[in-house]
Amino acid sequence: HRSLTCPTTQSFDHLPSQRKDSENDLSMDIDEIDDGRKKGRRKNHRDDDDYEDKEDDDGDDYNDDDNISSPPPNKKKKKSSSADNTADQHSPMNDRHINPTGKPAEAGIIQEVYVENFMCHRKLSVKLCRNVNFIHGQNGSGKSAILAAIQVCLGAGARRTHRARNLKDLVRKEAGADCSGAKLRVTLLNKGSDGFMPEVYGDTITVERCISMRSGGFNGYKLLDQNGKEQSRRKADLDAMLDQLNIQVENPVAVLDQEEAKKFLTGKAEDKYAFFTKATELERLDRCYANINDNIMEQNDVKQRAREGIQGAIDNTRQLQREWEQFQEIDRLEVDLQRCRADGSWAVYQEMQEKLDVDMREATKFSRSLEKRRAELINYEGKLNVTDDEEIAFKNQLEELTEEARAAAEAKRKLEQDLKIAENPIKAKERDMKILRTEIKNSQKKLTSARRRLDQARNDILESQGNAAEEERTRTRKIAETETDLARAKERVAPLKEQVYKLLREYEDLEGPKNTAEEAHNGTERQLNAVKNKIRSLQSEAGGGNKSLAMFGPKCGPLYELVQRNLRRFKGPVAGPVGMYLKIVNGKEKYAKIAEFAIGNGNLDRFIVTNQDDLNFMERLRREVGCGHRDCSLYKISPRSTQEKYNTPAPPNGVETVTSVVSVDNAMVFNFLVDSCKIDESALADSKEDSEDKLLNKEGNGKRSIRGKVKKVFCLPSGDFWQVNKGLLNITSNDRPLKQTIGVDRSAAIDSAKHELKAIQKELDRNEREVKAIKDQSKRAKVEWNQRNREFASLTGNVTKMEQLLEELKDQAETSEEVPTIDTTEFENDITVAEEEVEDLKKKQSTISQDIESLQPEVEELKEKLDETASRNVKILDDMEKVEAKLEDIVKGQNRRQEVVDKCRVKVQEREYALVQQEAIVAESKDHVANALLVARKVQYKTICQERRLEAKEANGGIAVVGADDMDDEPSEQDLESIEIVVPKYDSKKCQSRIANREKKIENEKKRRNLSEADPVVARDKYLRAKKDLDSKMEQIEAIEQNVKMLIADVKERKRRWIDFRSHIAQMTNLSFDEFLQKKNSAGRVEFDHDNQQLNIIFQKDNTDESTQTNDVKALSGGERSFTTLSLLLAIGESLETPFRVMDEFDVFLDPVARKRALQTLIEVSKNMEHRQFIFITPQDLSQIPTDNKLKIFHLKAPERSNRVGGPQQQTLNFE
């Protein structure tokens, strides 16, 4: 993970030595060090700096940035885990070394330590070797001063040395009051691939630390190159160098001073665990993660407050935007006014054009009339030479027709008399029938009245019968029956109510399917109407030949004509409909239907364009014609596709392809069919078996493939097709009838359309049956619900009535009366008489009807003869009129015919004169149209100029731009010709009204604006500032949200890796600890209790005797305890990759034998790790240790001590 850059976020650049592994996401690059890390550290640990600043009595400008410690501890505890006995051989921590093993260290080790006026040293220079260095001397000789100099010079604070609270307290006291301060230098090796900026510093880097005692002196760091030249004084560069070289002077394992050594030797299990986590930087990482969690909560609070406080800025920005838009309204209104003027000009041009069209039609009409009159003149001139034979022939013909007409008239008169005689009996019978119907109706009324009187009498008799006892029994029985019925009715109420609700739900559930079925029926009905329109278009179109456009769609013809009229308005070529360019190759007509099926019916009515402007214009033409979304769809191709770009191969042997069956005489259409319909990949065959035999490959593994470029194969006769997908053969059947419109005449297209109409009609019938079925089902459900509802209402009403009846029966008093008897014989006799009278009348009616039917055939026969005679008579009269007219012409003689010819010639001359006049009017109209077009184009040009100026002004924030419009105010002829004709939406009167409204609105707006003192520039600047401020706040909120999401995900992942990292270090420490003890023929292991944060040591004195094992370190001797602790320190240090390690008084509790063995072990281990530098500081004598090129011993002189008064005395610093 990269370091996070949130200003208040702790970055994770200070990780343990393993952080340079590219595969471990805990690693951090040196470039990731930023100001956020330093701010976070100073925020959490400002107490250290404040404390040292208070101790600085001089109050100089010294900034002790090196005293940066870790974040506050995390209070959360993690789940415990014990160290395993075996190391993870595949850990990402393996092979991670700043200096590779097997060769001397090249980067980060100390070459020289130089101090001046520091602690007890006036001047001291120590040049160290690359591997093992021992520094020994008596107490007070300044051994620990060298360690302190390394710590302070490489970034540690004064308190970290345990020698002083303030850096100034480390300046040598014996230097006196004239001492300017102390100077420390540490020279580091900077070679190899891990060197820090070798191109700047060279092979060595010298860090110089100045501690000034004077006000105004320099306090800080200097980074010097190999030549001693200063390169930087920035603390950030020092931190970057330390991170690059992995130098950790504040890590107690890397630099172990006396206090840390004593604390570790005498500390408890908790202290050792704390030492372990601090040394491996696990503690710092854990605190860092906790600090980030706090920071996430803070950022969420900041985001919430920002969202709550931004609403005012939003309202203010909107208000300022409205104010600013008011200043731009006049410019927009003026441009809108100019557009209205342009529309008015185009409307005038359109009206002129329409007038021209009317004049031209009149001229055409005059021309046709002239031709007709000329033909009549020629005809009449030919009649001047009629002979006398023609006159005689016409007279004879007229006599014959006259005789024939006389005979026909006589026959007609006789038939009319016969018909009248035959109709007289029928009319008499019909009059009798009418009288009988009236009598039957009256008799039926009498019968009904008699029956009603008889029923009333009988009801009166029944009501009057009985006595008081019978009434009592009846009343008692009614009470019992009513109570029984009431109980039964009440039992039926609840089930019937539930049934009513159930039926209502069923009826409501049927509404959705009914609506769906009706929509499907309506869609099919619309499709049926479209096909009917297509058939009507085909039948009504004359002279279409085989290229009738209506075959491809009902809108193709009108759209094609409209395209042809507007060809000059297209910027590129236009093709369409596609079907008009297709033709079946001779001899391959049998494949025509499946070829068209392979192309797809929806592609034959398409129109093709080459650019977006033409596409938009075609959409406009489609709307004018009234195309639906499926009619005459459009397709845009590249301008390069206007030429044929495909060289399609010949079809495979024995089969055809669409390209070999269909010829295309337009390159754009051909490229479209190849690109969109893949006609070069569609094969056509006589049958499925034949196509598989010639095209299908069967491989040994059972997979299939198709030979050549073919992807899909269509087969006769029904258009079934198959293809191979991922080695599998897929066959698709076609159950829709095939149709043929390509390369056929109109009749075939009409037949195909009729077949399609029948299929759609069948589908419509099926839809109607479905709609009817579901409507019937819905109706039945509704009827049943209504019945049950009425039954429920009736039942509840009956319950109420029965309750009321029961109450009335119980309250009735016992009464009885005698009713006189009524005789009904008279009423029954009346009914019998009425019934007999009705029956007689019906028999008479039947007799009359039979008589009328028997007379009707004779009358019908006479009517047919009369109609035939009348028709023949009319035809004879027509022929007579024609012959009389011809004979009259002949009889009038040559003079009359000459007169007719003269009159006709005069009419011809009149038509010629009228035609000349109309042509003059047409010419004048053309001039008016041309002038109107010129004016409209000039106004349109001016409109375009104003629109461009407005766009430039709005793009510049509402400020006019000089020279923004590259169009001249006076257009050239070429500019005017380039302006396309615009079809106006309104007529000229409507446009004039719109112009007047715009002018009035602009005038009012100007008056309102003149009353305001606001400056548009100021309003614009306010709006832009408010918008910029609002955008900035929104970006900050979005940045906070994104940062919080990244932090949460990152912390979660890092915490998981932190646990893995801790487990790995614990395992490595345990193995290394046992390995070091084995050198002394001992054994041991380290137990980690992560839950309780304890580190316990189990020591076995004899590695072959388990009985010598103990987990109580206090039971060991001082030497054993020290050696064990020393081994643990070395084991923990194995997890680090710091280039050097310093240990001060590590052997303080060792006896001579144990010390000797420990030193041998240290030297042996250190020499084996020649890629590391070790510095051991001890007060013990080391004269018995031999030196070599890998081991160097420095002996410091004993301090000079004097007992005289006022002489130099050894000082002991107070660390309380």
Side-chain angles (χ1 to χ4, degrees):
H1 295 281
R2 309 289 293 178
S3 176
L4 301 177
T5 57
C6 176
T8 59
T9 302
Q10 295 289 341
S11 60
F12 304 121
D13 50 310
H14 275 185
L15 298 178
S17 58
Q18 291 80 359
R19 71 184 183 279
K20 290 179 68 65
D21 188 355
S22 62
E23 297 179 357
N24 190 340
D25 287 339
L26 288 171
S27 63
M28 299 302 300
D29 295 336
I30 196 69
D31 295 333
E32 301 298 324
I33 300 176
D34 54 10
D35 294 338
R37 172 180 58 80
K38 290 181 283 185
K39 291 180 181 178
R41 286 180 172 180
R42 284 197 293 269
K43 178 181 177 182
N44 293 304
H45 300 283
R46 193 62 185 171
D47 295 341
D48 296 347
D49 297 334
D50 293 342
Y51 182 79
E52 291 191 9
D53 291 341
K54 291 177 182 178
E55 294 295 328
D56 188 1
D57 297 332
D58 294 339
D60 54 20
D61 59 349
Y62 167 63
N63 183 11
D64 192 8
D65 286 340
D66 54 323
N67 294 324
I68 299 175
S69 60
S70 301
N74 186 10
K75 297 180 180 180
K76 298 180 180 180
K77 294 184 180 181
K78 295 297 177 181
K79 196 173 182 178
S80 64
S81 61
S82 300
D84 297 331
N85 294 327
T86 60
D88 186 3
Q89 299 298 327
H90 302 287
S91 171
M93 306 300 179
N94 294 338
D95 300 330
R96 299 209 11 106
H97 303 287
I98 291 296
N99 295 305
T101 58
K103 63 177 182 179
E106 294 181 339
I109 65 171
I110 302 175
Q111 275 192 337
E112 182 181 2
V113 179
Y114 172 81
V115 298
E116 181 177 337
N117 289 329
F118 185 74
M119 293 180 68
C120 62
H121 297 292
R122 187 176 63 84
K123 284 186 180 181
L124 175 67
S125 176
V126 179
K127 296 183 179 181
L128 304 174
C129 74
R130 292 191 179 187
N131 193 197
V132 185
N133 299 272
F134 283 93
I135 300 175
H136 71 103
Q138 297 181 9
N139 291 333
S141 60
K143 305 184 299 299
S144 298
I146 298 174
L147 173 59
I150 294 173
Q151 291 176 305
V152 172
C153 197
L154 296 181
R159 288 180 300 168
R160 183 69 183 85
T161 65
H162 300 287
R163 299 289 179 173
R165 295 178 180 268
N166 192 286
L167 289 176
K168 293 181 180 180
D169 294 339
L170 297 176
V171 179
R172 183 169 173 265
K173 300 298 186 291
E174 290 80 358
D178 296 334
C179 177
S180 61
K183 182 181 294 185
L184 314 175
R185 290 198 194 99
V186 173
T187 302
L188 303 173
L189 196 62
N190 191 44
K191 296 181 179 180
S193 60
D194 291 322
F196 176 71
M197 301 175 66
E199 70 279 2
V200 177
Y201 294 97
D203 293 339
T204 61
I205 299 176
T206 300
V207 182
E208 181 177 300
R209 182 69 161 101
C210 298
I211 306 174
S212 176
M213 299 294 292
R214 297 177 180 176
S215 177
F218 175 70
N219 274 301
Y221 300 92
K222 296 180 182 179
L223 297 182
L224 312 178
D225 59 14
Q226 64 180 2
N227 298 322
K229 183 179 178 181
E230 180 181 336
Q231 296 293 339
S232 176
R233 291 190 178 188
R234 297 175 64 247
K235 182 64 164 54
D237 292 340
L238 174 64
D239 293 337
M241 184 268 291
L242 296 177
D243 283 345
Q244 175 70 17
L245 302 180
N246 201 24
I247 297 174
Q248 306 175 36
V249 294
E250 294 188 358
N251 192 318
V253 174
V255 178
L256 184 68
D257 55 21
Q258 294 179 14
E259 294 299 324
E260 292 290 345
K262 292 177 182 179
K263 186 186 299 184
F264 188 73
L265 290 173
T266 60
K268 299 179 182 179
E270 291 80 1
D271 298 332
K272 289 182 173 61
Y273 187 87
F275 183 90
F276 166 75
T277 56
K278 183 177 181 181
T280 56
E281 293 204 334
L282 291 172
E283 177 189 11
R284 187 187 69 81
L285 288 175
D286 193 33
R287 289 198 301 264
C288 190
Y289 299 153
N291 190 33
I292 293 176
N293 288 329
D294 296 338
N295 186 263
I296 290 173
M297 297 177 64
E298 292 177 2
Q299 292 200 36
N300 283 327
D301 294 340
V302 170
K303 180 188 69 176
Q304 184 62 28
R305 290 194 299 271
R307 286 194 180 279
E308 294 174 354
I310 202 173
Q311 186 60 41
I314 294 175
D315 297 338
N316 182 44
T317 303
R318 290 175 178 172
Q319 178 63 26
L320 293 174
Q321 182 181 9
R322 286 192 294 269
E323 293 177 0
W324 167 236
E325 288 175 350
Q326 291 178 357
F327 288 98
Q328 303 181 44
E329 187 64 25
I330 291 180
D331 294 335
R332 297 192 184 100
L333 289 175
E334 290 178 349
V335 172
D336 189 28
L337 173 61
Q338 186 61 32
R339 293 194 187 105
C340 292
R341 289 171 178 167
D343 291 341
S345 301
W346 287 115
V348 172
Y349 164 74
Q350 184 71 18
E351 292 173 357
M352 291 291 184
Q353 184 66 43
E354 292 175 355
K355 183 178 181 302
L356 175 61
D357 294 339
V358 173
D359 293 340
M360 292 181 69
R361 286 195 295 271
E362 285 294 322
T364 304
K365 181 179 178 181
F366 287 154
S367 177
R368 291 175 181 173
S369 178
L370 177 60
E371 294 297 329
K372 181 178 179 181
R373 292 302 179 184
R374 285 175 177 172
E376 289 178 354
L377 177 59
I378 295 172
N379 183 34
Y380 288 134
E381 288 177 347
K383 291 181 180 180
L384 291 175
N385 300 321
V386 176
T387 62
D388 295 337
D389 294 338
E390 292 180 358
E391 183 178 356
I392 295 171
F394 283 133
K395 287 181 178 181
N396 294 333
Q397 185 178 1
L398 180 60
E399 290 178 358
E400 293 176 357
L401 291 173
T402 302
E403 185 63 29
E404 188 176 354
R406 188 181 300 110
E410 182 64 26
K412 180 180 178 184
R413 184 185 60 77
K414 186 176 183 303
L415 287 173
E416 287 176 348
Q417 291 178 355
D418 294 341
L419 178 61
K420 187 176 180 180
I421 294 172
E423 286 180 344
N424 287 334
I426 294 178
K427 291 180 180 180
K429 294 291 183 182
E430 288 178 348
R431 287 192 295 271
D432 295 339
M433 179 68 74
K434 185 176 180 181
I435 295 171
L436 281 175
R437 289 195 188 99
T438 304
E439 292 178 354
I440 291 173
K441 186 175 181 182
N442 294 331
S443 299
Q444 288 177 344
K445 288 182 179 179
K446 292 179 181 179
L447 177 61
T448 303
S449 177
R451 286 174 177 172
R452 186 164 55 251
R453 291 194 300 271
L454 177 61
D455 294 339
Q456 182 64 35
R458 288 175 176 174
N459 291 333
D460 293 341
I461 293 172
L462 293 175
E463 290 177 359
S464 62
Q465 291 177 351
N467 50 30
E470 182 64 26
E471 289 178 356
E472 181 64 22
R473 288 193 298 271
T474 302
R475 190 162 41 250
T476 303
R477 185 178 68 253
K478 286 185 177 180
I479 291 174
E481 291 175 353
T482 302
E483 289 177 347
T484 304
D485 294 339
L486 180 62
R488 292 175 180 174
K490 288 183 177 180
E491 291 176 356
R492 292 178 55 202
V493 169
L496 186 58
K497 183 178 181 181
E498 180 64 26
Q499 190 175 10
V500 169
Y501 290 155
K502 181 179 179 182
L503 291 173
L504 178 61
R505 289 194 296 270
E506 291 177 356
Y507 168 71
E508 291 174 346
D509 292 340
L510 289 172
E511 287 298 310
K514 184 178 73 174
N515 294 336
T516 303
E518 288 176 348
E519 290 176 358
H521 175 267
N522 294 335
T524 307
E525 194 172 28
R526 288 193 294 271
Q527 188 177 2
L528 180 68
N529 294 331
V531 176
K532 288 181 179 179
N533 293 333
K534 178 179 178 182
I535 293 174
R536 284 194 293 269
S537 298
L538 289 171
Q539 291 174 343
S540 62
E541 183 176 328
N546 291 335
K547 286 297 181 179
S548 176
L549 300 182
M551 294 185 299
F552 311 118
K555 301 297 182 181
C556 288
L559 183 59
Y560 176 78
E561 293 177 0
L562 192 59
V563 169
Q564 296 303 312
R565 291 200 300 268
N566 294 274
L567 275 178
R568 58 189 180 86
R569 300 181 63 181
F570 288 92
K571 297 182 178 180
V574 183
V578 171
M580 71 178 292
Y581 301 96
L582 308 183
K583 187 180 296 183
I584 302 299
V585 177
N586 291 332
K588 299 181 179 180
E589 291 80 6
K590 67 177 182 178
Y591 299 108
K593 291 186 178 181
I594 60 174
E596 184 173 340
F597 179 69
I599 292 174
N601 295 333
N603 293 314
L604 297 181
D605 64 340
R606 283 181 179 251
F607 284 74
I608 304 172
V609 296
T610 59
N611 57 76
Q612 187 62 36
D613 292 338
D614 290 349
L615 184 66
N616 296 336
F617 185 65
M618 280 296 298
E619 287 288 355
R620 179 176 163 188
L621 296 182
R622 288 179 71 247
R623 289 193 295 271
E624 290 183 12
V625 175
C627 292
H629 67 280
R630 294 184 179 179
D631 297 329
C632 302
S633 57
L634 305 180
Y635 187 85
K636 187 180 77 172
I637 63 174
S638 171
R640 296 189 299 271
S641 298
T642 55
Q643 302 296 328
E644 193 164 319
K645 62 180 181 178
Y646 295 106
N647 185 15
T648 56
N653 293 331
V655 296
E656 299 289 343
T657 60
V658 178
T659 55
S660 66
V661 171
V662 179
S663 64
V664 185
D665 56 3
N666 185 283
M668 293 171 58
V669 174
F670 181 80
N671 294 332
F672 158 74
L673 292 176
V674 173
D675 292 336
S676 180
C677 305
K678 308 297 181 184
I679 61 173
D680 57 335
E681 298 177 0
S682 300
L684 311 176
D686 294 332
S687 65
K688 173 180 173 296
E689 292 77 14
D690 183 61
S691 61
E692 290 181 356
D693 181 63
K694 294 175 180 177
L695 293 176
L696 188 62
N697 289 328
K698 299 180 180 179
E699 300 175 2
N701 55 2
K703 293 186 176 181
R704 312 288 181 87
S705 62
I706 304 179
R707 299 187 185 98
K709 193 181 178 181
V710 176
K711 301 297 183 183
K712 189 180 291 187
V713 182
F714 295 82
C715 305
L716 289 173
S718 59
D720 299 341
F721 62 93
W722 59 269
Q723 56 188 346
V724 175
N725 184 15
K726 296 182 180 180
L728 299 177
L729 178 64
N730 296 328
I731 302 174
T732 304
S733 62
N734 175 44
D735 54 357
R736 299 182 63 182
L738 299 177
K739 62 179 181 178
Q740 179 180 350
T741 57
I742 300 176
V744 296
D745 58 7
R746 186 185 300 107
S747 60
I750 293 175
D751 293 338
S752 177
K754 288 182 177 178
H755 287 304
E756 184 179 1
L757 182 65
K758 290 181 180 178
I760 296 175
Q761 185 64 50
K762 290 181 180 179
E763 184 176 358
L764 181 63
D765 295 339
R766 181 178 58 80
N767 290 339
E768 288 177 349
R769 288 193 297 272
E770 292 178 355
V771 171
K772 184 176 183 303
I774 196 167
K775 281 186 176 180
D776 292 341
Q777 187 177 0
S778 177
K779 183 177 180 181
R780 287 194 299 271
K782 185 176 181 180
V783 169
E784 188 174 359
W785 173 71
N786 287 331
Q787 291 176 351
R788 293 295 181 270
N789 197 22
R790 287 194 296 268
E791 185 178 351
F792 175 77
S794 176
L795 182 61
T796 54
N798 291 336
V799 169
T800 303
K801 290 179 180 179
M802 285 188 287
E803 290 175 347
Q804 294 175 354
L805 177 60
L806 187 61
E807 188 67 25
E808 291 174 358
L809 291 173
K810 290 180 179 180
D811 295 337
Q812 283 181 356
E814 296 180 359
T815 60
S816 63
E817 295 181 16
E818 292 186 2
V819 180
T821 305
I822 300 174
D823 188 8
T824 60
T825 304
E826 182 181 355
F827 300 122
E828 293 174 355
N829 293 334
D830 292 341
I831 292 174
T832 302
V833 172
E835 287 177 349
E836 291 175 353
E837 183 179 352
V838 170
E839 187 65 26
D840 292 340
L841 291 174
K842 286 184 177 180
K843 289 179 180 180
K844 291 180 181 181
Q845 184 182 21
S846 176
T847 302
I848 294 174
S849 298
Q850 291 176 2
D851 293 341
I852 292 173
E853 289 178 0
S854 63
L855 296 172
Q856 194 68 33
E858 181 182 358
V859 174
E860 293 296 333
E861 182 179 357
L862 291 174
K863 285 182 178 180
E864 290 178 359
K865 291 180 180 180
L866 181 59
D867 292 338
E868 182 180 354
T869 303
S871 299
R872 186 170 66 254
N873 197 11
V874 171
K875 184 177 184 304
I876 293 171
L877 293 176
D878 290 340
D879 293 340
M880 288 178 64
E881 289 178 359
K882 292 179 182 178
V883 173
E884 287 176 352
K886 293 179 181 179
L887 185 60
E888 183 180 359
D889 292 339
I890 295 173
V891 170
K892 287 181 179 180
Q894 186 70 19
N895 293 331
R896 185 178 180 283
R897 286 193 291 272
Q898 184 64 45
E899 183 181 351
V900 172
V901 170
D902 294 339
K903 290 181 179 179
C904 188
R905 187 175 290 113
V906 171
K907 290 182 179 179
V908 168
Q909 292 174 355
E910 290 175 353
R911 296 295 186 275
E912 288 177 347
Y913 178 76
L915 179 60
V916 172
Q917 294 295 325
Q918 188 64 31
E919 288 177 348
I921 294 174
V922 168
E924 184 180 0
S925 297
K926 287 183 178 180
D927 293 338
H928 291 165
V929 169
N931 293 332
L933 178 61
L934 179 62
V935 172
R937 283 178 168 170
K938 287 182 177 180
V939 176
Q940 184 68 29
Y941 183 87
K942 186 176 180 181
T943 303
I944 295 173
C945 292
Q946 288 194 9
E947 288 176 345
R948 292 187 179 179
R949 292 190 186 101
L950 178 61
E951 290 176 359
K953 185 175 181 180
E954 290 180 347
N956 194 38
I959 305 302
V961 180
V962 179
D965 186 10
D966 58 354
M967 299 179 69
D968 298 331
D969 292 335
E970 291 297 330
S972 62
E973 292 183 1
Q974 185 178 1
D975 293 335
L976 294 178
E977 288 294 333
S978 63
I979 296 177
E980 297 181 355
I981 296 176
V982 178
V983 179
K985 297 181 179 178
Y986 310 102
D987 57 14
S988 59
K989 292 183 179 179
K990 179 67 175 179
C991 290
Q992 290 299 326
S993 175
R994 296 178 74 240
I995 291 171
N997 290 337
R998 298 301 189 279
E999 290 175 346
K1000 184 176 180 180
K1001 188 174 182 180
I1002 290 174
E1003 183 179 356
N1004 294 335
E1005 187 67 21
K1006 287 183 178 179
K1007 289 181 180 179
R1008 186 189 65 80
R1009 186 177 179 184
N1010 289 334
L1011 296 176
S1012 176
E1013 298 180 358
D1015 188 356
V1017 177
V1018 175
R1020 170 181 171 272
D1021 293 340
K1022 286 183 178 180
Y1023 165 62
L1024 293 179
R1025 284 196 301 271
K1027 186 175 183 302
K1028 182 178 180 181
D1029 181 63
L1030 178 61
D1031 294 340
S1032 175
K1033 291 179 180 179
M1034 293 301 296
E1035 290 176 359
Q1036 292 175 6
I1037 293 175
E1038 293 175 359
I1040 291 174
E1041 290 180 348
Q1042 187 64 23
N1043 198 18
V1044 167
K1045 292 179 181 178
M1046 294 173 60
L1047 284 172
I1048 292 173
D1050 192 65
V1051 168
K1052 183 177 180 180
E1053 177 63 17
R1054 290 174 183 270
K1055 194 66 178 179
R1056 183 187 65 78
R1057 292 178 177 272
W1058 180 85
I1059 295 173
D1060 298 339
F1061 182 52
R1062 181 183 65 183
S1063 176
H1064 174 78
I1065 293 178
Q1067 294 179 23
M1068 296 300 296
T1069 301
N1070 192 18
L1071 288 175
S1072 300
F1073 176 69
D1074 183 69
E1075 183 180 348
F1076 287 126
L1077 292 180
Q1078 292 291 342
K1079 298 180 181 296
K1080 191 182 175 184
N1081 296 326
S1082 299
R1085 71 174 184 274
V1086 181
E1087 288 185 348
F1088 292 89
D1089 187 353
H1090 297 300
D1091 284 343
N1092 297 319
Q1093 297 185 353
Q1094 292 182 354
L1095 186 151
N1096 295 306
I1097 300 174
I1098 298 177
F1099 179 74
Q1100 184 175 329
K1101 295 181 180 180
D1102 187 354
N1103 57 6
T1104 61
D1105 187 4
E1106 294 185 358
S1107 62
T1108 61
Q1109 186 179 105
T1110 180
N1111 56 1
D1112 186 7
V1113 181
K1114 295 181 180 180
L1116 303 176
S1117 63
E1120 291 174 341
R1121 185 165 63 251
S1122 297
F1123 186 78
T1124 302
T1125 305
L1126 181 62
S1127 299
L1128 180 59
L1129 286 173
L1130 293 175
I1132 295 174
E1134 286 294 300
S1135 300
L1136 302 178
E1137 288 186 0
T1138 181
F1140 63 84
R1141 294 178 60 186
V1142 184
M1143 300 179 67
D1144 187 10
E1145 294 192 9
F1146 60 91
D1147 54 352
V1148 62
F1149 295 118
L1150 294 177
D1151 55 76
V1153 176
R1155 181 179 297 108
K1156 180 177 180 181
R1157 184 174 298 175
L1159 288 175
Q1160 290 177 353
T1161 302
L1162 284 176
I1163 293 172
E1164 180 182 351
V1165 171
S1166 301
K1167 286 185 176 181
N1168 289 336
M1169 300 173 65
E1170 60 179 347
H1171 59 290
R1172 296 284 181 266
Q1173 185 183 44
F1174 295 88
I1175 302 174
F1176 301 106
I1177 300 175
T1178 178
Q1180 306 300 328
D1181 182 24
L1182 303 176
S1183 58
Q1184 76 279 10
I1185 299 177
T1187 60
D1188 53 30
N1189 58 348
K1190 291 186 177 181
L1191 191 148
K1192 195 172 184 180
I1193 299 175
F1194 298 91
H1195 177 69
L1196 299 184
K1197 294 181 180 180
E1200 296 182 358
R1201 295 182 174 85
S1202 175
N1203 294 326
R1204 64 184 180 85
V1205 178
Q1209 300 292 325
Q1210 181 176 359
Q1211 292 183 346
T1212 302
L1213 298 178
N1214 184 13
F1215 296 106
E1216 295 297 329

